[in-house]
Amino acid sequence: VPPDPPPLVTLSTQEQEQDIARFLNQCTFGATPDSIAEVQAYIVSHGAGTNRVAGMSAWLDEQMNPALVPQTLHDPISDAGRNQNNPINNQYGREDSYAWLQTAVHAKDQVRHRMATALSEIVVVSGDGAAISTGRNRTISTYYDMLAENAFGAYTNLLYDVSVSPAMGIYL
């Protein structure tokens, strides 16, 4: 049985903000003043103002609950950037990259998309080649949405969804 962890050290306001920023930089695409304030509010409400671990855990639990923080989908963002008259010639050059950037910067479900990005580096497909040259480039944003949907689920479910996805079929 491992020993109990040492008691939490009380941090100054500035040290606590730095600790929150470190936490957010690890589990999102970067801390912002608003996200730091949001986690600080969780520390006050869930950690009695001093237990930052309880507050951070409550914030993370909320981020992982799709009923409280619904998934931001890439497909609608990609569709907004796609030239509907000529799907091969789209406005942003690669609307899947544009959708990823918009999600990374603006989405509320940052933890989900940080996890989906990590998964996209493990179960890799390509946006080049057949998917782009034949105008089927929507497969990449749909694939990323599937990764985000499976971000907090069982790995076996993720592997099944990857194996039957059109993006993986085109890639292989």
Side-chain angles (χ1 to χ4, degrees), residues 2-54:
D4 290 336
L8 283 176
V9 176
T10 302
L11 301 178
S12 70
T13 302
Q14 181 180 7
E15 290 171 328
Q16 183 168 310
E17 285 182 8
Q18 291 171 343
D19 194 44
I20 293 168
R22 176 202 53 79
F23 166 73
L24 290 169
N25 285 337
Q26 290 176 342
C27 66
T28 69
F29 291 108
T32 65
D34 289 344
S35 63
I36 291 171
E38 183 180 357
V39 174
Q40 282 175 324
Y42 274 82
I43 291 171
V44 170
S45 64
H46 293 83
T50 58
N51 187 344
R52 64 188 179 277
V53 173

Side-chain angles (χ1 to χ4, degrees), residues 62-125:
E62 181 178 293
Q63 284 285 307
M64 294 174 68
N65 184 340
L68 299 174
V69 182
Q71 179 181 348
T72 304
L73 296 173
H74 277 188
D75 270 345
I77 300 169
S78 293
D79 286 346
R82 186 174 293 112
N83 180 335
Q84 299 299 328
N85 297 323
N86 183 356
I88 296 172
N89 179 18
N90 60 67
Q91 181 179 356
Y92 299 105
R94 295 265 320 254
E95 70 277 352
D96 53 313
S97 297
Y98 173 77
W100 183 90
L101 180 62
Q102 292 301 308
T103 304
V105 173
H106 301 294
K108 293 297 289 176
D109 55 338
Q110 290 270 307
V111 175
R112 174 180 300 281
H113 288 285
R114 179 72 183 252
M115 185 67 181
T117 298
L119 290 171
S120 75
E121 295 175 5
I122 297 169
V123 284
V124 178
V125 297

Side-chain angles (χ1 to χ4, degrees), residues 125-147:
V125 297
S126 176
D128 295 330
I132 298 299
S133 64
T134 61
R136 293 180 285 176
N137 48 6
R138 186 174 190 172
T139 57
I140 300 302
S141 60
T142 302
Y143 183 78
Y144 189 85
D145 285 344
M146 180 271 303
L147 293 178

Side-chain angles (χ1 to χ4, degrees), residues 159-172:
L159 291 179
Y160 175 80
D161 287 349
V162 165
S163 68
V164 299
S165 72
M168 185 58 77
I170 292 169
Y171 180 64
L172 294 175

